[in-house]
């Protein structure tokens, strides 16, 4: 006789029923009730195996019912924990600004956050509508807030949403604040203990966006040419209106829109992943550019919350998306030429070319851990970037990556080069001649089973490679121990003769990410084709050997 599965899983069912009784959302209540009625213990176990962990990326996960999913119950607990943390820090009546994107449930999560802050005795203000994440980052400092929340999953798949927390300096949280907030979240016993009034918070007017747009003007040189023609895709996100307004104020030609991706759509119907870096994501932009007359000089893309910026140019007769490291170097060179002063900074996974550009210009340079939460905190920051298409070109206005101001600065650079009869590729060649050809690539493995990532990291720690692509590994660092300049993080760094490799689990997606760089010296422009061929050959070989060493 078989055991009754309900009896076997009575504790699981009881936990699910307790959660159901507190869930304020009819949709997720109905979803969970059906799982309980169907005695779907496999799915219930997945939903109740733990809780979504609040960390330095805040929260991010798949939408659905239960503590392992993104839903209103999880968000209300997160907001209550943040409110308790802020009050414990002495911000008893401080202002918390809340922004949100156009994903499923984003507006609900923003409203719940405002209600919880109001119920806790704090003041809350919500942006007027779905707007780019950098507008929220700007608004925190502009309004003198003690914290900010952006409801977004950035470029994650349509089924995901997330919750990004900023403190009053306008930059994202870092340790120990994340652990302290998490402890306050864990202390929330029941949602019934969390006051959520129906009103009492402020919905901000358009003047906060106007203030942000007025600030975007400051990234450009007053006398610079404004002639470059662009094609623009918002990637089904919230960037279009803000970017068009910024371009109009700057006096650039109005971008030609990728019509199929121009309007916000939480289902992201034209892309497998709404990330310009993903294969195929830029295909519609390339097609739009090919049929646009006169021919555009540049394609600009934002990710769905418009904090990242991608650029594509014609290379050998076809459109090619530039790597994040290439855009990072171009913007750095442009700022140096304009006489920018202050520290240039990047994360350890980005190209070492930035350090060489800064050194030649006599500018301070710093490397940080991955993420703008670290880059934004560099003292005296003037420019920061990360290879994953993130650029901070106006740190006094937005202490985070900003895809709108980066797009403006890129289009200004394209205009200046156009006036000289040159292109981005010509400037990249100049940089290679000055500093060596810096070529980067990434080996990124998406998994369903997260244990595969842990296995790969363990394998590399236990048996680190002695050589990759025939290049000896001269230094192997386990970054969990930290370094003289970096706090501990889960990562491995290999220094090779003329190359560098960093391996780390993604902080926001189920991916193992390996960042590769090779540097090929050259002394004449005529050597560039051979140097590029050599770099491509080395990168391919490093990928192959690293895959074998990691067992992926």
């Amino acid at each position: 006789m078989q055991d009754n599965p309900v009896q076997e899983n009575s504790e699981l069912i009881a936990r699910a029923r307790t959660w159901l009784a507190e869930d304020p959302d009819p949709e997720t209540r109905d979803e969970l009730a059906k799982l309980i009625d169907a005695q779907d213990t496999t799915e219930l176990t997945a939903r109740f195996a733990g809780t979504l962990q609040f960390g330095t990326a805040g929260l991010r996960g798949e939408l659905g019912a239960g503590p392992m999913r993104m839903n209103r119950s999880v968000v209300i607990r997160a907001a209550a924990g943040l409110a308790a943390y802020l009050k414990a820090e002495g911000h008893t009546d401080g202002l918390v600004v809340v922004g949100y994107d156009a994903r499923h449930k984003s507006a609900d999560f923003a409203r719940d956050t405002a209600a919880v802050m109001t119920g806790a005795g704090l003041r809350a203000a919500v942006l007027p509508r779905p707007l780019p994440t950098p507008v929220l980052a700007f608004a925190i400092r502009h309004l003198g807030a003690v914290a900010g929340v952006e409801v977004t999953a950035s470029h994650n798949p349509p089924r995901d949403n997330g919750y990004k927390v900023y403190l009053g300096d306008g930059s994202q949280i870092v340790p120990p604040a994340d652990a302290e907030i998490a402890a306050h979240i864990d202390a929330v016993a029941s949602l019934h203990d969390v006051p959520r009034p129906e009103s009492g918070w402020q919905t901000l007017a358009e003047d906060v966006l106007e203030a942000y747009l007025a600030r975007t003007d400051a990234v450009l040189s007053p006398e610079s040419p404004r002639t470059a023609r662009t094609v623009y895709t918002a990637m089904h996100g919230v960037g279009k209106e803000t970017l068009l307004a910024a371009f109009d104020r700057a006096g650039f030609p109005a971008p030609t829109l990728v019509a199929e991706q121009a309007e916000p759509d939480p289902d992201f119907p034209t892309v497998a992943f709404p990330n310009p870096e993903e294969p195929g994501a830029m295909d519609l932009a390339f097609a739009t550019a090919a049929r646009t007359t006169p021919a555009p000089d540049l394609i600009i893309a934002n990710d769905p919350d418009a904090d990242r910026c991608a650029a594509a140019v014609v290379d050998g007769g076809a459109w090619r998306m530039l790597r994040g490291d290439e855009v990072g170097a171009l913007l750095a060179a442009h700022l140096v030429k304009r006489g920018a002063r202050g520290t240039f900074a990047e994360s350890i996974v980005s190209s070492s070319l930035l350090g060489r550009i800064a050194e030649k210009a006599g500018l301070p340079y710093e490397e940080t851990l991955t993420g703008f939460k670290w880059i934004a905190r560099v003292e005296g920051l003037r420019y920061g970037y990360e290879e994953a298409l993130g650029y901070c070109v106006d740190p006094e206005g937005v202490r985070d990556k900003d895809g709108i101001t980066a797009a403006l600065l890129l289009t200004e650079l394209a205009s200046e080069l156009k006036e000289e009869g040159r292109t981005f590729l010509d400037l990249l060649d100049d940089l290679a001649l000055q500093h060596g050809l810096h070529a980067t690539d990434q080996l990124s493995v998406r998994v369903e089973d997260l244990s595969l990532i842990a296995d790969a990291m363990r394998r590399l720690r236990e048996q680190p490679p002695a050589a990759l692509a025939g290049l000896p590994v001269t230094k192997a660092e386990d970054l969990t121990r930290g370094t003289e300049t970096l706090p501990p993080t889960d990562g491995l760094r290999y220094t090779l003769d003329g190359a560098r490799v960093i391996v780390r689990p993604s902080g926001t997606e189920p991916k193992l990410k390996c960042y590769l760089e090779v540097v090929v010296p050259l002394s004449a422009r005529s050597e560039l084709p051979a140097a590029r061929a050599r770099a491509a050959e080395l990168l391919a070989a490093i990928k192959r050997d690293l895959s074998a060493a990691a067992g992926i």
Side-chain angles (χ1 to χ4, degrees):
M1 182 175 171
Q2 286 187 324
D3 291 334
N4 186 329
V6 176
Q7 290 176 338
E8 285 182 357
N9 295 281
S10 57
E11 186 180 334
L12 174 65
I13 296 292
R15 286 173 60 210
R17 289 192 188 282
T18 300
W19 186 274
L20 179 66
E22 293 186 357
D23 191 340
D25 189 331
E27 285 184 39
T28 45
R29 269 207 318 272
D30 183 55
E31 179 187 325
L32 186 53
K34 286 176 179 173
L35 291 174
I36 294 170
D37 291 345
Q39 299 178 11
D40 188 343
T41 53
T42 301
E43 188 62 27
L44 286 171
T45 298
R47 306 292 185 97
F48 287 85
T51 58
L52 271 186
Q53 289 304 298
F54 186 93
T56 50
L59 294 168
R60 200 174 288 189
E62 186 176 345
L63 290 163
M68 287 294 288
R69 298 288 185 268
M70 280 297 295
N71 50 63
R72 290 182 61 196
S73 296
V74 164
V75 164
I76 290 166
R77 287 174 181 274
L82 174 59
Y85 166 82
L86 291 171
K87 291 171 77 174
E89 292 293 303
H91 303 300
T92 50
D93 64 347
L95 173 68
V96 179
V97 189
V98 185
Y100 59 103
D101 67 10
R103 283 177 177 265
H104 294 295
K105 298 288 183 182
S106 286
D108 294 340
F109 295 167
R111 189 170 54 250
D112 282 331
T113 299
V116 170
M117 296 302 159
T118 304
L122 294 154
R123 292 176 293 125
V126 183
L127 293 184
R129 61 178 184 280
L131 286 167
T133 293
V135 177
L136 180 276
F138 166 83
I140 294 165
R141 298 181 54 154
H142 177 66
L143 298 173
V146 298
V149 171
E150 177 71 15
V151 180
T152 181
S154 189
H155 55 275
N156 274 38
R159 64 180 182 274
D160 289 2
N161 212 328
Y163 198 80
K164 189 184 290 189
V165 177
Y166 297 75
L167 293 182
D169 63 354
S171 55
Q172 297 173 48
I173 54 167
V174 295
D178 57 342
E180 292 167 6
I181 295 169
H184 283 292
I185 294 171
D186 290 342
V188 178
S190 166
L191 289 194
H192 299 313
D193 301 333
V194 181
R196 284 186 293 123
E198 293 293 317
S199 61
W201 58 89
Q202 177 187 8
T203 299
L204 292 165
E206 293 296 312
D207 56 357
V208 69
L209 178 60
E210 277 302 308
Y212 168 81
L213 288 169
R215 181 83 203 185
T216 64
D217 297 348
V219 305
L220 303 174
S221 293
E223 305 304 319
S224 64
R226 310 287 165 94
T227 55
R229 296 187 173 276
T230 55
V231 162
Y232 172 71
T233 175
M235 205 65 71
H236 298 297
V238 298
K240 183 193 79 171
E241 288 187 14
T242 305
L243 182 128
L244 290 181
F247 270 56
D248 182 57
R249 291 176 70 107
F252 288 118
T256 299
L257 299 179
V258 179
E260 302 93 330
Q261 298 174 334
E263 300 303 326
D265 187 332
D267 294 319
F268 304 104
T270 68
V271 289
F273 292 96
N275 178 355
E277 293 180 294
E278 293 283 347
M282 295 288 284
D283 286 357
L284 284 170
F286 295 161
T288 300
R291 63 174 180 263
T292 298
T293 53
D297 304 292
L298 182 64
I299 295 175
I300 294 286
N302 286 140
D303 67 339
D305 68 324
D307 63 349
R308 297 171 195 244
C309 178
V313 295
V314 173
D315 185 0
W319 284 94
R320 172 175 81 83
M321 194 173 115
L322 297 173
R323 301 193 68 83
D325 285 316
E326 292 176 308
V327 174
L330 289 167
L331 288 172
H334 184 46
L335 288 169
V336 165
K337 185 180 177 184
R338 279 183 22 182
R341 308 308 297 169
T343 302
F344 279 30
E346 64 182 341
S347 63
I348 56 172
V349 299
S350 305
S351 171
S352 60
L353 177 55
L354 182 69
R356 299 195 183 192
I357 293 171
E359 182 182 19
K360 183 166 185 183
L363 296 174
Y365 163 77
E366 279 197 35
E367 255 190 346
T368 73
L369 292 184
T370 309
F372 265 82
K373 56 185 176 282
W374 299 108
I375 295 170
R377 284 182 159 73
V378 168
E379 192 171 340
L381 181 69
R382 175 59 185 88
Y383 169 63
Y385 99 91
E386 191 156 68
E387 56 75 44
L389 309 182
Y391 314 95
C392 175
V393 301
D394 177 25
E396 288 305 306
V398 176
R399 287 198 180 172
D400 198 6
K401 53 189 179 291
D402 183 346
I404 305 296
T405 49
L408 286 170
L409 205 60
L410 276 172
T411 309
E412 178 184 64
L413 174 57
S415 298
E416 288 188 0
L417 290 167
K418 184 177 183 178
E419 297 296 298
E420 299 167 6
R422 285 158 43 84
T423 68
F424 281 0
L425 300 181
D426 295 322
L427 181 51
L428 288 170
D429 286 351
D430 293 348
L431 293 172
L433 282 167
Q434 290 174 43
H435 307 289
L437 178 69
H438 289 62
T440 57
D441 202 354
Q442 192 181 124
L443 172 63
S444 181
V445 183
R446 186 181 291 271
V447 299
E448 293 291 331
D449 180 359
L450 288 175
S451 70
L452 295 174
I453 293 176
D455 290 345
M457 294 296 288
R458 186 178 64 251
R459 189 177 290 112
L460 288 170
R461 284 191 170 101
E462 292 173 355
Q463 295 179 297
L468 295 167
L471 303 174
V473 175
T474 57
K475 189 176 183 183
E477 298 169 277
D478 186 343
L479 298 177
T480 53
R481 302 187 181 101
T483 72
E484 286 184 12
T485 56
L486 298 170
T489 188
D490 186 8
L492 300 164
R493 178 162 62 181
Y494 303 118
T495 304
L496 298 89
D497 187 11
R500 184 213 64 196
V501 173
I502 292 172
V503 184
R504 60 177 282 273
S506 169
T508 56
E509 297 177 272
K511 282 182 174 181
L512 182 68
K513 295 184 130 180
C514 310
Y515 304 86
L516 325 175
E517 179 177 45
V518 298
V519 182
V520 181
L522 65 160
S523 55
R525 196 171 289 267
S526 59
E527 297 173 12
L528 273 166
R532 286 205 179 89
R534 174 62 177 156
E537 176 189 315
L538 284 171
L539 288 169
I542 291 172
K543 266 190 184 181
R544 183 191 63 234
D545 293 354
L546 188 62
S547 293
I552 53 173

